[in-house]
Every structure is written in structure tokens, then in C-alpha cells.
Amino acid sequence: MNSIHSCYIHIPFCSSICSYCDFCKLLYNDKWVNEYLNSLEKEINFRYKNELIQTLYIGGGTPSCLSINQLEKLFNIIKRIDLSSDYEFTIEVNVNDITEEKLILFKKNKVNRISVGIETVNNKFMPFLNRFCNKNDVLRKIELIRKYFDNFNIDLMYAFPNQTIDEVLSDLSFVVNLRPKHISIYSLIIEEHTRIFIDKVTPIDEDLESRMYYKIVEYLKFYGFNHYEISNFALNGYESKHNMVYWNNEKYYGFGLGASGYIDKCRYTNTKNISKYNECKYDYLSEEIDFKLDMEYEMILGLRKINGVSKKEFFNKFLSSIEDNFDIINLVKNKMLIDDGEYIYIPEDKLYISNSILVNFIGGSNSE
Amino acid sequence: MDKSHIRNFSIIAHIDHGKSTLADRILEETHAVSEREAKAQLLDSMDIERERGITIKLNTASLKYICNDEEYLLNLIDTPGHVDFSYEVSRSLASCEGALLVVDAAQGIEAQTLANLYLALDNNLTIIPVINKIDLPNADIEKVKKELIDLIGFDEDEIILTSAKTGVGIKELLNEVVRKIPCPKGDNDSPLQALIFDSIFDSYRGVVIAARIFNGSLKVGDTIKMMETGASYEVVDLYIKNPWEVKKSSLSSGEVGYISASIKSISDVKVGDTITLLKNPAKDPLPGYKPMKSMVFCGLYPVESSKFEDLRDALSKLQLNDASLVFEPETSTALGFGFRCGFLGLLHMDIIKERITREFNIEIITTAPSVVYEALLTNGETFMVDAPNKMPDKTVLKEIKEPYIRTSIFTPSEFIGPIMELCQNKRGIYIGMDYIDPTRVNIHYELPLSEIVYDFFDKLKSYTKGYASFDYELIGYKPSDLVKMDILLNGEVIDALSVIVHKDFAYNRGRNVVQSLRKSIPRQLFEIPIQASLGNHVIARETVKALRKDVLAKCYGGDVTRKRKLLEKQKEGKKRMKQVGSVELPQEAFMSVLSMDENE
């Protein structure tokens, strides 16, 4: 599929910075926001070619930390994006920012999916993450969301230093009881340039982390969630359409500071420098996607999906088969991949070592 | 030039005593280079030499110097300072009549000061003692003078004081070179005898020879003959370096210069061979050099098997100006086709490895270094074992001997205890201790060479906070109770990981080796048992657990390029590992068979 029908918009501001966060983010500063929104509007006008958009995602940072006025301004900008009839429009919110007024504003502006960052409800780990909430608050806020939105996601994390499997499951059970339609659960990654990296935090034992992961999968499946991507779970029919655009190697716009997009034959990443961005100097990096690279992306992204890559769809897109382009025979023989005739996928017990399998699809890169 | 106005000399010193800086200052003093050109340490031309602050290769410079209104030609032949390269030092010394013995004014005499001095005396050279770095705030000139007088027997008035940094004493030193070092002997009218003391590969000129003319003379257009290899060539170019190239129409006895003769074949030029003229050949060659025996051997294997020929090519090119490097093809079940290479020492090995990777761009795996053992077989034959896998079977083995060295360890007396402990742990036999002055000693031990090939230098440095200096001489072979220890990965013997150990230390070593292997082998898709065995008897075991986590949990806001970059990086890392059977081994794994301590 060559036309663009997805769009990501980045709002980099946050009212406080989480210790592990490696996203493009800035501490909220009233002065910057208006300038930023002005530049964002220009970027959208510059790039957007009036395609009909099926998935729209406002992420951050913390989009919900903007004031009502600023949010109104943001939605005014977004108005010019044409949405299809079956669109999915998600906005990320921090549970502490939620107010009825904001929810009504979202609803009025066509948002139909909320993604709530909770990460943990265990007090023990809140100072470590530099994120704070309390369970009663969370319960109240989620009820408020439910009043306006049926479809919401909760983000959760695990693999904190000294965390036990029971503690992971206790967070998970709290979240499941909030009855979200979708759960994203990510392990803590100690990324360079983050607080916890600088503090030299030691990661937990990889065997324990792997056990945690498979416990989570088991638990959520038991509660009826469909495990459709390495870190994503949804009730049937509530898989995130926007996320699937990434894993299906489809095109999308990325607008905003540090945002990434894939248009024409190019994957690009915008500048992460707010001053440059506000001066409308958006460009930072771009990677030209040729035929071969496109196929590689198709595989390394597609294999994140539990269903894997459809052999037929691959053939229809590239007019040659997966087997003709990648040496998968040994991987299949060694049970690193399964070929069921229709799909090529990573078996469940190898999901947590998927990189070791994906490297086999990385070939003639520019660095060679 | 008239021979009586030529002086050929070297500078010898312990490492870091300012040899190269002094050489640079001499170039400046003789106006060979301007101050602007005097980039630090001009004669160290390789990147590795500059980075490590050591001289590896010889280099020569021919300099004009006016003394008492007369013009002299000073040929300065730079020498390496590290103990591994004493062979190179003796090569350059054979081309000289004199040497400057440089001692650091703050450090005093060190192990290699003496080692190099003895080499110079072996070559009957005239020695000029020099105390350098007298500008240092902690210089103790009187103490160092006393060492030179008491330990070596110089007279106080022959010692020259210099600071290569400020230039103090350089002129006086050069005058002393002219006055004290004898001019070269030799006869211009005899048939040509020129000693090849170095060769360089130049992509335009082919092999270029550095030679010292002892008798006769040589001019452009002459046909030369190498007396040992028999090859003959017509001389295209003659030049000297000052240090820039200066063309010459001829070179005559006593002179040092470079000969270019469109030599294509690397094997035609042997360092130590004598050059003569095809038409009027000399009867006998010059004494040349004793061929240097390689002390340390290891296997060199290309990570990618297709690079085998490239590696051969690289080794041949390196051998051209490094006669001490020897190699022959070797096959390992685990590593495929590679070369067994012999080196003068560990530093030499390191440098060759680095040059192959850097200058020839070939990723290589090296097996653990080993020494050459002497095996006496039951049938009376003697067999040299230069690789663990050549160890003869117990049933035919009568006795096995290993090479021993005698150390000179110069150290402040406060470190005597730790040094003795270190030597004891390395199977050392205490011989004695000389006091240089009340605070410094020279400790002598006899040690198996195999015990110092790996981490002895590093250990010595850390045990003595860098204050000790070390030199050794080979004293021959001694019988030892040695056995071959095999390492098994996944139940299969990996020949490239076998190592020869002393029987009494085998259990300990086995335990340390498998532990160290467990740490250096990254977790892989399956569990890997590691075993150490003597014959069929397993003496230690560890397990590398299967990889459980290798995943990118989160994809950042659609930034999939970044995810790909991470996978690319991972793939690059994989490329540096060697696939051995089903296991991927990083370079460190091959070295871990030498690990001795549990706390490593």
C-alpha cells in the first residue's frame, strides 16, 4: 500500500521527567508551547498532502499536560487533517492530568481512543521511576475516562531492579481490573542519556526478566487478551490500528519535535532541538528506503507481530517470495521461525530473544 | 665523503628515557629539520609507534654537522626501546661504531639500560653515557651519575648532561660524538660488501633496502647481488634520509643509505644478507646476524575464512621489514585455515595483530600465545612443540622441557615482597638480589618463559605501581612435568583452545579457565557446557546458560530506523566473533585459557 493513511503527532512537553524516559521530551514551559504549536502547524501544512487519514496518534511527552487553551489550539491545527469514516484517533494522557473538561474537549474533537500511562501502581517503585500516582486516584480517573470513552489502553512497565514476579502480577491484576481494551507492557530498558543510566542502575537478571515476560503473557491470555505483538495485548477487535501501521511497514507522517515518519521512499526523523524546530528547521535524519531495505523492514517489523509475516502479502508487495530473498531454511530448521505455509512467525518461546533471529534479516546496509 | 668525517651511531635507552625526543633534538641542532617541522618524535613514523609512544622500527637519518670548522656526516640509526625488540637493536648496532647510552635523570638506570648496553658492548661499540631530562624538577643528577660510575664503570668526566626538551647539552653531545666515536674502517677499493639491516616496501619502488657499506662502493646503474639469496638487480636509485630523502649518485664504505632496485620479490631480500656487485663480487659475506628465534607462537585466523589469502599477503608484507616475524600455514578443526606465527614477544605479537587489522583491514582471531617446548621421544628423537596440539602422545614421550629465563627486575625496595610473591606464583626459582643503592634493587629469578608470556608485565606494573622495570635473558631448557589440557565446548574438543600446563597447576588452571570462558562467551541460543580435561578425564566444568533476553520491548514513536540501527550494531558485533561448530566465540575467549586468577 503506497498511499499514506496514518499520522503521528508529537507533543514533547511533560510536567515532570521520568527517570527512564528516552523519548524526545522537555519540561513543560508555557512560553515554548505556543511557538511550538505554531511551528507544528507549519510543518503539517508543509508536508501533509490531504490524504484521507485512518489512524491519528498524538503522543509524547505528555500531550495531556497542555492547558485547555493550548489543547484547543492543537485540535484546531489538526482539524485540517481529513479523517476517514473508520478512523482511530488516539491521544496519550498521564493519569494525573485527566480532568472531565479535557476529556470532553477530546471527545468533541473526534478523539476515540485514550492511552493512559500508569507504568506501576506499586509505591515501592514510584520514586525510582520518578512517577507518582495513587490507586484510588487511578480508579476515579479511569471511571471518568470510561464515561466518555469505551476504548482505552493502559501502559505498564516491569523488570524494575529488585522487582519480584508477584509484584509484576499484582500491578497487572490491578490494571486488568480497570477493564481496559488494550494493554501495552514494556520492560524497563536502561537507555543511555537517562537518569537511571547515569545513576548506573543494574538491570535485573535476564532469566528472571524472561520468566516475568512469559508470566505476563500467560496471565493476560487467561483474561481474554489477544497477544498480537511482542509487547501489546488487546481484547478482540481492539488491536491498535496505529501500531499495526508500523509493524506492517506502511507509510505514515510524523509531525513534531523528534518525530519519525515514512513517506515516499524515505524514513525520516525530525530535529530534536526545540529552538531549531520552532524556527521551522525540521529536518534531522533521513534514510532512503530502496527495494531491498524495504523487504528487510517488512521482515524485522512484521516478525514483531505474533502472527508474523503473511507469505502471500509479501509476495504481492515485492513480487518475489520471502524464501527467495532471505535464508530462512536454517532458522526454520532450528525452530527459530515457524513456517505454517501461510505465515512466517517467531514461535512464542523465542519471542523474548527475537533480536537474535531478526539480525539474520539485516543485510547489505550502508555501513558495510 | 672522506671516511674520517663520518660517524655512525645509535641511541640506546630504557623505554621512555627520552630516546626519540633526543633524536628529534639532534635533527634540529643539525638543522635537518626546522622547529616547525619537528613534529614530536619525527623518526617514529608508524601511527602505532606514536600512539604507544614506543619505537618499533629502525629509522636512519644522515645529518651534516660542523665541528671545529670541519663538516662531518653523522648517521643516526634509531633503535626500538622495548625488551621484545632487542633483536632490532642488535641489527642497528651492527651498522654503527658508537652508541649513546641515554639514562633518565629522574629514573636512573633501568633493566633495559643494562640489557641494551650489553648488546652494544657485544658489538664492540664506543659508548657515550648521557644523562637526559636534567630539566625535570625531580632530576637527581648526582645519584644517576653515581649509578653510571658504580654500576657500569664510566668516568665522571665522560658523562654528558642533556635536556632534549630544552636543548641543553646537545651541541656538547654532538661534539663528543665527533671526538670519541671512531670513524668507520673499511676499504673503498675492495669488492663491495654492504650489510642489509632493514627493508621497506614502497608501492612505487618495490622493496627498498637500508644498508651499511662496509667495503667498496656502489653507484646507480651497478648490478648488485645478494650473497645469500643469489638474486641480482640493477640499482635504480640511491638515497639517504636527512630525514627527508636526498638522492645520491654513489655510496661508499662507511656510509649508510637506501638502495632502490625495482625489487619485486619480497623473498629476495633478507635482512642480515650481504650485498656485493655481480661483476666484482666479494669472496665472503659479512658476519650478518644470528637469526632471531621466535619466543612466542600463536595461531592467527581470519574471522572470515575467505580472507585466508589476504592474511598470507599481509603477513608477507609485514615480514619484509620485520625479519623476526615467522609464519607457516596451520589448520585447526575449530578455526579452519590460518597461520602459526612466531614472535619475539607479546608486544611484538600485539603490534603485528594490530597492524593486520589496521593496515590490511582483516578481522582476525588469535589463539593463546604459547612458547616452544622441547619433547624427547622414546625413540631418541627431539621434537619441538610450538603448538599445544603438536604435543606428542604420552606413550611416545620420554621427557618434556620448557624454556626458562633469568629476570632482571629493577624496583624500589618497598616492592620486593609483592614481586617475590608474583614470581613464586609463576613457578619462579629465586636466584638473588643486587642492591643498586639503599632504596633500589635488581631481583633475579628463574622463570618458565611460558609464565611471562601472558600477564606478567601487567601484573608487575600493577604490583609495583609502575615503578619496576623488567628485562630477561633466555637461559635454556629445563625438564618440566607438563601436560596438554583440552577444552570442550558442547562436548567437543576445541583444538584452538588447548593449552600446555604444569601438571601440579592443572586443576587450578582448569577451574580458572572454564570460569573465565564462561564469563567471556556471551549467552547464545542454547546452553553451552564448558569442560577442561586432561586426556579423557574432565577436571572442571561450567555452563553458559542459554540466552533468555534479546528483545527490543518498545518501539519509539514509530522510530523504526533506530531499531534497525540497533540490530545492525548487533550484527557487527557478531561479525567479530568466530563461529566454532555451533558456538560463537569472541576473541577474549581464546585468551581466557591463559587466565590464572580466580579473581579475574
Side-chain angles (χ1 to χ4, degrees):
Chain A
M1 214 172 306
N2 253 331
S3 69
I4 304 169
H5 55 81
S6 287
C7 176
Y8 174 83
I9 294 170
H10 193 71
I11 303 298
F13 305 101
C14 292
S15 33
S16 73
I17 303 294
C18 304
S19 64
Y20 55 86
C21 181
D22 178 21
F23 268 30
C24 181
K25 78 275 170 185
L26 300 159
L27 211 50
Y28 177 87
N29 174 336
D30 195 44
K31 274 191 301 196
W32 286 108
V33 177
N34 278 325
E35 269 184 58
Y36 181 76
L37 292 176
N38 288 338
S39 186
L40 179 69
E41 179 169 21
K42 283 184 191 139
E43 192 199 357
I44 295 174
N45 287 338
F46 166 67
R47 290 198 208 265
Y48 176 57
K49 299 287 184 295
N50 303 312
E51 294 89 344
L52 203 56
I53 295 300
Q54 292 170 4
T55 79
L56 176 55
Y57 194 105
I58 303 177
T62 318
S64 60
C65 78
L66 301 194
S67 68
I68 286 285
N69 282 342
Q70 288 161 339
L71 283 168
E72 270 176 345
K73 182 167 175 169
L74 172 66
F75 285 121
N76 254 323
I77 294 164
I78 291 169
K79 250 191 202 140
R80 83 179 288 304
I81 296 175
D82 293 328
L83 294 174
S84 67
S85 54
D86 58 346
Y87 74 90
E88 175 192 279
F89 182 178
T90 309
I91 189 165
E92 283 181 353
V93 299
N94 183 323
V95 73
N96 298 328
D97 292 335
I98 296 169
T99 63
E100 189 148 16
E101 195 187 8
K102 283 183 183 174
L103 289 169
I104 292 168
L105 183 71
F106 295 161
K107 187 85 184 172
K108 203 175 81 191
N109 284 285
K110 291 186 164 180
V111 172
N112 59 13
R113 185 171 180 269
I114 305 285
S115 178
V116 192
I118 290 179
E119 317 310 345
T120 183
V121 287
N122 189 333
N123 291 331
K124 194 168 138 188
F125 300 111
M126 288 181 188
F128 168 72
L129 299 178
N130 194 31
R131 285 188 68 97
F132 300 89
C133 65
N134 82 46
K135 283 187 183 173
N136 288 331
D137 245 17
V138 172
L139 286 170
R140 264 198 3 257
K141 295 290 177 76
I142 295 293
E143 278 320 304
L144 205 53
I145 291 176
R146 204 189 305 285
K147 201 168 144 189
Y148 297 93
F149 298 92
D150 151 64
N151 185 2
F152 66 93
N153 163 64
I154 288 176
D155 272 354
L156 206 58
M157 288 174 77
Y158 65 100
F160 310 131
N162 304 317
Q163 194 180 23
T164 64
I165 292 186
D166 282 347
E167 285 167 334
V168 174
L169 293 180
S170 143
D171 267 357
L172 203 55
S173 112
F174 180 83
V175 166
V176 167
N177 283 322
L178 299 174
R179 290 179 288 126
K181 295 289 194 261
H182 190 283
I183 295 174
S184 294
I185 180 157
Y186 303 110
S187 66
L188 177 78
I189 305 174
I190 299 168
E191 302 273 10
E192 258 180 273
H193 315 300
T194 61
R195 184 74 252 156
I196 54 173
F197 180 87
I198 294 159
D199 292 345
K200 299 200 172 79
V201 168
T202 9
I204 68 163
D205 174 71
E206 69 172 84
D207 297 280
L208 175 61
E209 186 181 323
S210 162
R211 283 209 300 283
M212 285 176 175
Y213 177 74
Y214 287 108
K215 266 278 184 252
I216 291 164
V217 173
E218 186 191 316
Y219 188 95
L220 288 176
K221 277 187 175 174
F222 180 81
Y223 282 96
F225 284 86
N226 172 23
H227 185 199
Y228 72 100
E229 191 266 348
I230 291 178
S231 310
N232 286 291
F233 301 81
L235 297 181
N236 270 338
Y238 286 96
E239 291 82 5
S240 161
K241 289 181 195 163
H242 185 80
N243 274 341
M244 291 303 277
V245 167
Y246 300 148
W247 315 132
N248 287 334
N249 191 26
E250 287 165 24
K251 311 263 160 97
Y252 56 96
Y253 285 114
F255 299 127
L257 188 70
S260 297
Y262 179 22
I263 54 180
D264 301 323
K265 287 189 165 170
C266 174
R267 287 190 177 273
Y268 65 92
T269 302
N270 278 349
T271 179
K272 295 183 164 118
N273 178 321
I274 183 82
S275 316
K276 283 211 175 116
Y277 188 87
N278 287 354
E279 288 163 21
C280 302
K281 294 172 187 157
Y282 306 119
D283 294 342
Y284 174 54
L285 278 177
S286 69
E287 182 190 27
E288 202 195 314
I289 307 296
D290 61 18
F291 192 68
K292 181 86 182 80
L293 208 51
D294 200 16
M295 284 198 283
E296 287 181 18
Y297 271 119
E298 188 83 11
M299 295 309 294
I300 62 173
L301 295 170
L303 288 172
R304 288 189 69 91
K305 295 177 291 182
I306 305 303
N307 287 342
V309 181
S310 155
K311 297 171 80 168
K312 202 167 103 191
E313 279 170 29
F314 187 98
F315 188 87
N316 288 343
K317 185 166 176 181
F318 298 103
L319 301 176
S320 76
S321 68
I322 296 176
E323 294 91 327
D324 284 349
N325 290 286
F326 299 101
D327 187 11
I328 60 166
I329 294 169
N330 271 323
L331 291 170
V332 171
K333 205 175 80 192
N334 295 330
K335 299 197 170 63
M336 296 294 149
L337 285 181
I338 291 177
D339 179 352
D340 69 4
E342 276 186 70
Y343 285 88
I344 305 277
Y345 59 95
I346 296 178
E348 189 173 322
D349 68 323
K350 301 291 190 307
L351 282 176
Y352 221 57
I353 53 167
S354 58
N355 281 355
S356 307
I357 297 160
L358 298 181
V359 282
N360 295 289
F361 292 91
I362 301 282
S365 71
N366 304 329
S367 59
E368 276 185 284
Chain B
M1 175 167 283
D2 176 13
K3 269 207 302 288
S4 66
H5 285 67
I6 297 177
R7 299 290 181 271
N8 296 316
F9 70 104
S10 280
I11 308 177
I12 53 179
H14 186 77
I15 191 163
D16 270 351
H17 280 198
K19 188 168 55 67
S20 296
T21 322
L22 185 65
D24 288 342
R25 186 58 78 167
I26 290 173
L27 298 189
E28 223 184 289
E29 183 66 34
T30 56
H31 310 293
V33 293
S34 67
E35 213 164 319
R36 185 174 52 82
E37 289 165 332
K39 185 156 64 161
Q41 307 194 349
L42 255 173
L43 291 181
D44 289 347
S45 52
M46 281 194 284
D47 284 348
I48 301 179
E49 294 182 318
R50 290 226 178 99
E51 283 167 28
R52 297 198 178 199
I54 52 170
T55 307
I56 300 159
K57 291 302 303 168
L58 319 171
N59 258 303
T60 62
S62 303
L63 313 162
K64 284 202 171 97
Y65 183 67
I66 313 279
C67 180
N68 299 330
D69 293 336
E70 287 185 57
E71 190 179 291
Y72 288 85
L73 178 68
L74 308 184
N75 291 316
L76 163 60
I77 302 173
D78 199 12
T79 63
H82 192 273
V83 56
D84 272 11
F85 299 103
S86 55
Y87 177 57
E88 303 253 343
V89 178
S90 60
R91 269 162 59 185
S92 59
L93 296 180
S95 310
C96 298
E97 280 77 35
L100 312 182
L101 178 71
V102 177
V103 181
D104 183 307
Q107 311 284 329
I109 290 178
E110 295 282 2
Q112 283 145 251
T113 315
L114 287 183
N116 285 322
L117 170 72
Y118 297 143
L119 283 176
L121 293 176
D122 283 348
N123 282 283
N124 294 319
L125 300 197
T126 302
I127 312 288
I128 299 176
V130 181
I131 298 177
N132 188 31
K133 301 197 190 180
I134 56 167
D135 58 297
L136 287 181
N138 58 339
D140 190 344
I141 299 166
E142 285 316 307
K143 188 178 148 197
V144 178
K145 261 190 188 169
K146 199 165 167 334
E147 285 182 6
L148 282 167
I149 295 164
D150 293 350
L151 234 66
I152 308 179
F154 288 111
D155 286 335
E156 182 165 2
D157 55 5
E158 54 180 340
I159 300 169
I160 310 280
L161 305 181
T162 63
S163 161
K165 202 169 151 205
T166 64
V168 169
I170 304 296
K171 219 177 172 65
E172 193 192 348
L173 176 62
L174 289 174
N175 290 340
E176 184 80 351
V177 167
V178 170
R179 197 181 64 76
K180 195 168 165 191
I181 295 178
C183 63
K185 296 188 195 69
D187 184 354
N188 256 347
D189 302 324
S190 307
L192 175 70
Q193 280 180 309
L195 180 68
I196 304 179
F197 65 83
D198 199 9
S199 57
I200 328 156
F201 189 83
D202 180 313
S203 24
Y204 299 104
R205 292 168 162 149
V207 182
V208 176
I209 298 168
R212 154 79 194 265
I213 317 285
F214 277 87
N215 286 305
S217 64
L218 174 66
K219 56 183 193 304
V220 174
D222 281 347
T223 303
I224 51 168
K225 185 183 171 198
M226 319 291 172
M227 295 188 76
E228 193 185 329
T229 66
S232 45
Y233 288 98
E234 189 184 310
V235 176
V236 177
D237 244 340
L238 293 172
Y239 63 92
I240 57 171
K241 282 184 167 181
N242 74 354
W244 323 120
E245 278 182 32
V246 180
K247 291 239 161 97
K248 302 273 288 180
S249 54
S250 69
L251 289 172
S252 50
S253 77
E255 290 186 312
V256 170
Y258 291 85
I259 304 166
S260 153
S262 306
I263 303 171
K264 297 280 180 312
S265 168
I266 290 169
S267 55
D268 283 346
V269 178
K270 259 190 81 182
V271 168
D273 197 358
T274 301
I275 300 173
T276 189
L277 291 179
L278 189 65
K279 269 191 184 157
N280 177 21
K283 252 200 260 151
D284 300 306
L286 296 161
Y289 316 107
K290 265 189 289 177
M292 182 67 186
K293 280 225 185 94
S294 302
M295 303 307 302
V296 176
F297 283 79
C298 78
L300 245 57
Y301 291 83
V303 173
E304 286 170 71
S305 339
S306 60
K307 293 277 175 77
F308 174 75
E309 284 303 326
D310 295 351
L311 181 56
R312 183 201 298 278
D313 195 45
L315 286 167
S316 308
K317 288 209 169 115
L318 290 172
Q319 194 181 41
L320 180 68
N321 63 355
D322 187 348
S324 46
L325 169 69
V326 294
F327 61 94
E328 60 178 39
E330 176 186 69
T331 317
S332 149
T333 338
L335 297 176
F337 294 103
F339 295 93
R340 191 81 195 158
C341 302
F343 306 95
L344 298 175
L346 271 201
L347 178 69
H348 186 212
M349 182 177 98
D350 267 2
I351 283 165
I352 296 289
K353 270 158 56 179
E354 210 170 314
R355 290 185 69 185
I356 290 171
T357 318
R358 259 201 234 187
E359 294 169 29
F360 299 91
N361 210 6
I362 306 171
E363 292 281 358
I364 50 171
I365 290 283
T366 55
T367 61
S370 89
V371 303
V372 187
Y373 299 92
E374 194 182 290
L376 280 139
L377 306 184
T378 44
N379 65 4
E381 273 177 38
T382 304
F383 179 73
M384 301 311 281
V385 183
D386 66 7
N389 291 307
K390 293 185 190 165
M391 181 90 157
D393 192 74
K394 268 205 304 244
T395 53
V396 297
L397 188 66
K398 197 171 155 203
E399 188 178 54
I400 183 125
K401 292 178 171 178
E402 64 177 323
Y404 267 72
I405 55 153
R406 183 175 189 270
T407 67
S408 287
I409 303 170
F410 279 62
T411 176
S413 44
E414 65 207 87
F415 300 117
I416 292 172
I419 289 174
M420 290 180 81
E421 190 192 320
L422 172 66
C423 292
Q424 230 79 41
N425 286 339
K426 302 275 184 191
R427 298 193 276 137
I429 304 158
Y430 177 71
I431 301 299
M433 194 155 48
D434 306 329
Y435 271 87
I436 298 161
D437 63 40
T439 60
R440 290 217 309 156
V441 293
N442 182 0
I443 305 175
H444 302 293
Y445 260 90
E446 284 182 9
L447 286 168
L449 178 64
S450 64
E451 296 287 345
I452 66 156
V453 298
Y454 185 48
D455 56 354
F456 189 80
F457 283 96
D458 293 341
K459 284 268 164 63
L460 185 68
K461 240 187 263 165
S462 69
Y463 276 42
T464 63
K465 303 189 175 108
Y467 279 108
S469 68
F470 171 65
D471 194 46
Y472 64 84
E473 57 176 332
L474 269 177
I475 52 168
Y477 279 78
K478 291 187 180 196
S480 232
D481 196 0
L482 300 170
V483 287
K484 184 174 84 155
M485 183 169 82
D486 286 324
I487 300 295
L488 295 84
L489 297 181
N490 248 349
E492 278 177 65
V493 174
I494 306 300
D495 59 356
L497 292 176
S498 296
V499 61
I500 292 174
V501 295
H502 193 278
K503 207 171 171 186
D504 295 349
F505 292 75
Y507 281 80
N508 249 327
R509 281 288 295 279
R511 240 189 337 269
N512 294 339
V513 168
V514 293
Q515 274 169 13
S516 155
L517 273 169
R518 176 174 59 74
K519 283 178 210 152
S520 63
I521 300 175
R523 293 171 76 158
Q524 296 174 26
L525 294 172
F526 45 86
E527 187 177 282
I528 308 164
I530 309 169
Q531 294 159 301
S533 78
L534 301 179
N536 292 323
H537 183 45
V538 173
I539 55 170
R541 185 198 154 113
E542 286 277 342
T543 306
V544 177
K545 287 196 275 184
L547 180 72
R548 296 294 296 279
K549 184 203 168 191
D550 185 18
V551 64
L552 276 172
K554 186 147 192 164
C555 192
Y556 290 87
D559 186 358
V560 298
T561 304
R562 170 168 155 175
K563 179 179 164 62
R564 194 196 146 79
K565 289 272 175 280
L566 283 166
L567 288 172
E568 270 174 27
K569 220 169 132 188
Q570 190 164 339
K571 191 176 176 188
E572 282 302 308
K574 252 171 104 89
K575 266 198 199 158
R576 277 188 290 273
M577 296 204 278
K578 184 83 186 175
Q579 185 85 34
V580 175
S582 48
V583 183
E584 281 172 341
L585 293 182
Q587 172 65 67
E588 307 88 72
F590 293 92
M591 290 299 153
S592 41
V593 294
L594 292 173
S595 88
M596 312 275 184
D597 306 332
E598 278 167 56
N599 54 12
E600 245 169 359

